[in-house]
Amino acid sequence: MSSTAERRQQIEAKRAKLAELRKARADRQKSDSDRKSSETSAGSFTPKNNDVDDLLSSILRESRGPGATAGNGYLDSGELTPSSSMPGTPSMGTSLLPSSLSGRASRNSDFASSIGTTLAPSINSATDNVMAREMVPRFLPDLIDIEQELFELPTKKERVIYNKEVQTMEIEVETPNHEAETLQRGVSEVDIEALQAARDRELEEESVQLDKEIEEEIREIPPEELASILAAPELLEFVDSTTKMFYRAIHDYDPTRDYRVGTEAGSDESEGRVKRVCEFFDERYTKNRSITDVDWSPQYPELSVASYNKNAAALNEPDGIVAVWNLHLLERPEFVFHSQSDVLSVTFSPFHSNLVFGGTYSGQILLWDNRSKHLPVLKTPLSASGHTHPVYSMQMVGTQNAHNLITSSTDGTVCSWLVDMLAQPQETQELIHAGHNKTGEVAITIMDFPDNETTAFWVGTEEGNVYQANRYDRAGAKAGLNQYDVYKAHAGPVMGLHFHPTSGSVDFSDLFLTSSVDWTVKLWRAKSLAKPSTTPHVISPLYSFDESDDPVYDVKWHPTHPAVFGAVDGSGKFDLWNLNMDTEVPVVQTGVGTGRALNKLQWDKKDGRRAAIGGSDGKLYIYDIGDMAIPRESEWSDLQKTVSGMVSGGAQTNGLVDGDVRSIAGR
Amino acid sequence: MTPELEQTLALLSSHRSVLGYMLLSRGHPVSIIRHTGGVFDGEHGKKYAGVIARIVETVQSGLEEINGSENEGDDVKFLRIRTKRHELMISPDGRYLLAVLHEPS
């Protein structure tokens, strides 16, 4: 601050001097104009453009002494005194180039004549005689000294200029070399003015500049104001969004990287291994919680969403959290949504990029919008018309114009909702297994629709059976559970169920995988809906994968490679299987995290290179499987062969042979 | 200052490659709301603030010059200045300005 004060003082001083200068100039101008009015001979006041040569010649002339002013028509009608002296030419030159040359013209302090102007004659005095018209410097023969300087002096430095009339009038703004001047010089007035003006301008500019600087100086904020600024909600919002931007930018690729500078070659990009890309975890939100469901955004391939259950250690925090994570933003979630009860299933809306659906432990279905803040924008009422039991499974079916959200809860209720009308379900049905020996209730743990189906769906239950159900009456089949076809093989609750995605030359959409608490993953062929059974009968799986020693919590087909699927189990292992390579062991088995159970697996929707794995430790792991995700042309036919091999090789312990299965295999 | 704001800013400054941040409020003259990091302390920090404010002004006026006043005109959203040693990321807003100096590894 002191420096500023000093500067202020400096400015003030300069301003004062500037004022003085201006005043002096004004005075001078006034006197000039007086003088000019009395001028009789017109003469041209405009200096001729002389160049350096002229200057030199003038100097030479000067050096020759007073008598050498040959022919320069100083003579005039009589007003001019004959002079043999030096022209003030150089000053002319200087007036034109004020900054380049401040050669002092010779000056005569003894001009007694009242004729004011001293214009330099043109050096190229070819027409010397014509000079009669021109104003010439009037020198008295008894000039004392004439001197000329060729050198540049910075124009800022004050020149002492003596008007030939008023010898003692001094105009001084800054006179650093005032003392050095011992000689008297004569300068043309125009010259003086021009130089003066230039100097004035510069000083003005400088003072303006200093003014601006003072104005722009960074000031400290007084504490009260500071407090109010910090409390503003806009500030929080601004900081939130900009810090997100910064994190994303920090993690971006470094564009200035120079590949010529070698680094330690340590990366072994060996054949398609499974690599961990990143791990999403946030101290604030996801600590002490487990992930219950994972989904990828269909519109933005870098966004994934995970739902979390209750934080037992912090009971005043919301019970359920849904966090949207961005691959480019590792430090914190893009969005965080709250819920009053644990969120057990979550899905992005495939038709609206802003909406996220969640199903909760209380049976409520919630809808969040990322344009709003934490709380859901819509929720279903806690009433008997919806669900009253935990909703573990939900799926959006239909097309852009006609779509429904289908949700299922553990009491066997399956509801279908319209997205904008969550006040009550469009339809509800309770799946009842009439022929069951113990209870009719079907405790649904998992539900899945085949890709191109909107009416028929399959459910996995707590008892380990898989059933097929219909939403509406179809030709030959009634709405509700198909109690005759029982897919029976698992010894424990079915935790994962996934139909083969339809992509590629051969259609495998009747194949589905199930995973269960009984440590196995089983491959089934769904019975055709064309001929519904009328008597109960049991359908057996095509194959059973017994690799794991822990409950297998999720299994998912790969979206683009027909023979690849992944499974996650309770010991923290992520198994990647490729049926065309080996049906007995997984291709890659990766330990994920610290060995805690992995709850959910989801392949990314774009090309299936990445898998999002939700762990019970609250961390969302993203793995990249690289080239293994890319199918060759032959994969489909290979898979056909494999499956038929599975079917026919029924003598093995793994494949269970059944009359029905064989007949279907012929298809 | 709300705890959320505290937390967010603390998280930012504790990031491994971040050397410091400066939160300014726009307006004439620019004033420093908060700053951390040795780089932004004292006189040096004030100089930084002045420089950053001027940079943003220049760019904004340049945009205005280009776009003229026919349409809404463009706004500066994000400035990323990569120097040999560091990277300075500036994010201006109508009211505030956040500048982060970090060292790209």
Side-chain angles (χ1 to χ4, degrees), chain B residues 29-98:
Chain B
V30 156
S31 39
I32 303 180
I33 298 180
R34 180 167 253 247
H35 68 89
T36 54
V39 195
F40 290 130
D41 272 339
E43 274 304 312
H44 197 54
K46 292 213 191 113
K47 277 195 232 156
Y48 252 115
V51 165
I52 289 171
R54 261 181 286 140
I55 289 175
V56 174
E57 288 293 322
T58 312
V59 176
Q60 183 68 33
S61 58
L63 279 176
E64 275 166 24
E65 212 179 290
I66 294 175
N67 286 323
S69 49
E70 314 103 33
N71 52 345
E72 252 301 305
D74 239 330
D75 274 328
V76 178
K77 253 181 76 162
F78 197 66
L79 282 171
R80 222 175 144 177
I81 300 171
R82 178 77 162 92
T83 66
K84 212 162 64 168
R85 285 186 300 164
H86 310 300
E87 184 166 23
L88 179 65
M89 295 192 278
I90 304 170
S91 170
D93 178 77
R95 268 172 297 228
Y96 310 104
L97 199 155
L98 181 62

Side-chain angles (χ1 to χ4, degrees), chain A residues 39-46 76 79 117 119 132-135:
Chain A
E39 190 62 49
T40 54
S41 62
S44 76
F45 280 71
T46 57
D76 202 327
E79 293 183 336
T117 53
L119 290 175
R133 277 243 162 235
E134 286 188 331
M135 305 304 301

